[in-house]
Amino acid sequence: RPQLHAAFWEVPEAELSGLWVPQGSYWHLATRQEELAATPRMWQALKDQAGRLDALLDGRRPDGSRSNRFMTVCHGDFKPANILFSHDGTRCAAYDFQYVGRSYGARDIAYLLCAAADDGTLDEPGAEEALLQHYHSHLMQQLELRGSTAVGVSGTGAGANQDSTRAAVGVAAADSPGEGYTMAVLRQHVDWALADFFRFMVGWGMWGATGWAERRVRDVLARGV
């Protein structure tokens, strides 16, 4: 997975004009208004944040322009059914690129966690963090091979300061130079991406690691989007 994200890391949007969808997912808000309208009352707080989550994942600034900071190309439907594995299990490849588009790579990761893992696995202490660190380390290796400036700050500590993290990844400050794609930034992107996917599911139907996802999204909402 990191190879795709690294290959298109911060590629100018003008060079991605051939993509089928504007955002890399089949659930992005512009195409899911019926599901948004069907949001249960108990998830009104999530519905209220739908527009903001969509803007964050699209890199949209308050003035309507879009940042390219940390943006890449996402598969958009990265689930086990769309992954092929070699007989020995050491290699894999994705297919079905119908929903490929621009966004943060964390959009694929949050979706894969929800679609491929179960509640018990993800609720184990440190399990989610270990999976994110695995992705992050391989992404950093791929970016370093390509000479990306995203590599430069390791930031792997779980207790990274939330205020500085939000400043690093907030839409208004998305073009700030010198801030690498740290684990803290990845965690924030996963929070946004998971909440956005869950927004779709509550109006369409629940599947995957929904217990874990619900607990995570409630925590995201409690901390503030």
Side-chain angles (χ1 to χ4, degrees):
R1 182 81 252 122
Q3 286 88 335
L4 173 65
H5 295 162
F8 291 93
W9 195 261
E10 296 185 347
V11 170
E13 188 176 355
E15 299 179 21
L16 302 177
S17 58
L19 298 178
W20 282 22
V21 294
Q23 293 188 46
S25 70
Y26 65 81
W27 61 88
H28 66 92
L29 188 60
T31 63
R32 295 297 182 175
Q33 292 300 301
E34 290 185 11
E35 288 80 5
L36 182 66
T39 301
R41 187 173 299 177
M42 66 180 292
W43 286 106
Q44 183 64 44
L46 179 58
K47 182 178 181 181
D48 291 343
Q49 295 296 330
R52 174 163 171 74
L53 287 166
D54 185 68
L56 289 168
L57 291 167
D58 195 32
R60 290 198 300 275
R61 303 184 182 93
D63 64 2
S65 62
R66 301 207 295 177
S67 170
N68 202 44
R69 182 68 163 155
F70 304 137
M71 283 290 166
T72 186
V73 165
C74 291
H75 180 278
D77 192 10
F78 194 58
K79 59 188 177 185
N82 288 335
I83 305 173
L84 296 173
F85 292 90
S86 61
H87 287 296
D88 62 5
T90 61
R91 294 173 296 155
C92 68
Y95 66 97
D96 189 3
F97 285 81
Q98 180 179 357
Y99 298 104
V100 66
R102 173 184 177 275
S103 192
Y104 297 124
R107 207 163 198 166
D108 280 341
I109 303 307
Y111 177 64
L112 179 64
L113 290 177
C114 196
D118 56 58
D119 292 329
T121 297
L122 292 171
D123 281 335
E124 290 182 5
E128 179 187 341
E129 181 72 6
L131 291 170
L132 294 183
Q133 287 187 352
H134 179 79
Y135 165 77
H136 183 267
S137 66
H138 284 276
L139 175 65
M140 293 298 102
Q141 291 173 12
Q142 291 295 318
L143 290 174
E144 188 170 10
L145 288 173
R146 291 167 170 80
S148 173
T149 57
V151 182
V153 183
S154 60
T156 56
N161 181 271
Q162 185 175 359
D163 291 338
S164 62
T165 300
R166 293 177 65 83
V169 298
V171 171
D175 283 327
S176 300
E179 180 69 29
Y181 197 66
T182 65
M183 274 295 297
V185 177
L186 172 60
R187 291 187 203 101
Q188 181 70 87
H189 287 178
V190 169
D191 282 354
W192 295 342
L194 184 60
D196 182 67
F197 178 58
F198 199 79
R199 175 268 309 161
F200 160 69
M201 284 204 299
V202 297
W204 181 83
M206 305 291 284
W207 64 285
T210 55
W212 164 81
E214 177 174 345
R215 289 186 287 276
R216 286 282 280 101
V217 171
R218 288 192 182 279
D219 180 62
V220 170
L221 293 174
R223 287 186 281 113
V225 175

